Every structure is written in C-alpha cells, then in structure tokens.
Amino acid sequence: MKPVSSPASSPAARYTLTAIALHWVLAVAILSAFGVGLYIEGLPFSPAKLKLINWHKWAGVTILFLSVLRLLWRLTHRPPALPARIESAMPGWQRAAHHGTHHLMYLLFFAVPLLGWAYSSAKGFPIVWFGVLPLPDLVAPNPELAEVIKPLHGLAAWGLIGLVVLHVGAALKHQFIDRDGLLERMRPGRKA
C-alpha cells in the first residue's frame, strides 16, 4: 500500500533543469571571478597578472551573457512558487528578504560585469573575449572616469557576494534548521 503524503511531507515543485544548471554555473563563475579579482588586487604588475586580469574580464563577460540567458529563461518559465506550508510559516520580513535578495542579486548580476567592462573601456584596455571576439568599448577612454568606476565595480562585487552569503545562509537554514526540503527545488541531480 502506498503511503499518503501530507502537505508537510510532499516534495516541493522543482525548478527546470535549465534553471538549475544556470543557477549553479553562475554561482561557480561568480565566486571564481570574485576570488580572482581579489587575488589580482595584491599582485605586482607582471605578465601573470595581465593573464589573470584577462581571465577576470572573460569571466565577467561570460557571467553577463549567462545572466541574460537566466533572466530570459526566468521571464519565459515561471519559477515554482514557494510551497504554501513554507510561505505561511515565514514571517513577513523573511518573505520580503527572500524577494528583495533575489531582485538585488539579479540587478548585480548585470551591474558588476557592466561596471567592470566600463572600467576597462575607460582605462583604454579593450576586452577581447577569450582572445577571439573583440567587444566594443562601453565608454570612451577617460582616466578620470575610470577612477570613478573602479570603486563602484568593487562595491557592487562585494554587495553581490554579501547577497550570495545571505542566500546561502537562508538555504542552509531551510535545510538544517527548518528541515523543510526547500533546497531540493534547486539541487542538481535530484528528482522530486
């Protein structure tokens, strides 16, 4: 005899495989690009530093491209709603934080790489994606503008990482404290 599942134990609706893949690929790319960005800040000028700067730029453009794909996918494929049992258990501030964090992360998925691209353009250093595809400058070379954009790029990157930490913390809370199975919706390779 098959057990009857209760609303509290029934699995949550999952994201599509495409949404799951984009989520995890972007997560790895963002964390990698951030780590390389931090690392190169302390390096003396050298050919190795130039290679890492180019890698960082390529990663940023790739993140921007993947973010466009992710946003288009999300606009054309509605994400699963929070299960009613979870949403009803969340205080209003948590629901607001849930939605606000996601909206701000999407904004920064675009702002961070665009600011980096604008900084590179203002410094007069073109971006040639993976050494093959030259990209247009976003702004004309302008050293004064570059000095304004550089800290904005850094602040936006730190803001994105702060939101990622908050997002991961919330997911871990749902997994290990609430034990509500919410993480299963985005876990790769699992079936609901």
Side-chain angles (χ1 to χ4, degrees):
M1 185 170 180
K2 207 173 179 181
V4 178
S5 62
S6 69
S9 66
S10 62
R14 289 178 45 81
Y15 283 85
T16 64
L17 290 177
T18 301
I20 292 169
L22 286 169
H23 175 274
W24 290 108
V25 169
L26 264 170
V28 169
I30 287 167
L31 292 173
S32 298
F34 183 76
V36 169
L38 283 179
Y39 179 69
I40 60 179
E41 278 295 310
L43 289 180
F45 187 77
S46 68
K49 181 174 183 170
L50 289 175
K51 283 181 184 179
L52 287 172
I53 289 170
N54 280 325
W55 185 91
H56 182 74
K57 290 179 186 183
W58 299 341
V61 171
T62 303
I63 288 166
L64 182 61
F65 174 71
L66 290 172
S67 296
V68 168
L69 286 179
R70 185 173 181 180
L71 181 61
L72 289 173
W73 188 263
R74 184 160 184 143
L75 292 174
T76 58
H77 297 80
R78 188 175 175 88
L82 280 174
R85 64 182 159 62
I86 294 173
E87 189 157 9
S88 65
M90 291 170 69
W93 70 266
Q94 279 185 2
R95 281 193 298 278
H98 164 77
H99 294 295
T101 298
H102 280 93
H103 288 104
L104 283 172
M105 280 197 305
Y106 268 91
L107 175 69
L108 291 173
F109 289 163
F110 292 92
V112 174
L114 286 171
L115 285 166
W117 188 349
Y119 169 68
S120 189
S121 297
K123 280 296 265 189
F125 299 122
I127 297 175
V128 182
W129 198 26
F130 294 107
V132 176
L133 180 63
L135 301 178
D137 288 334
L138 289 186
V139 297
N142 181 331
E144 294 81 19
L145 180 59
E147 293 309 309
V148 171
I149 296 173
K150 184 177 182 179
L152 295 176
H153 175 62
L155 286 171
W158 276 106
L160 179 56
I161 291 303
L163 290 172
V164 166
V165 168
L166 184 64
H167 179 70
V168 169
L172 293 174
K173 174 196 172 283
H174 279 283
Q175 182 68 19
F176 297 110
I177 295 172
D178 300 342
R179 297 179 187 265
D180 56 20
L182 190 64
L183 192 62
E184 296 302 316
R185 298 167 5 128
M186 191 55 82
R187 188 176 293 187
R190 303 279 180 158
K191 295 196 180 209

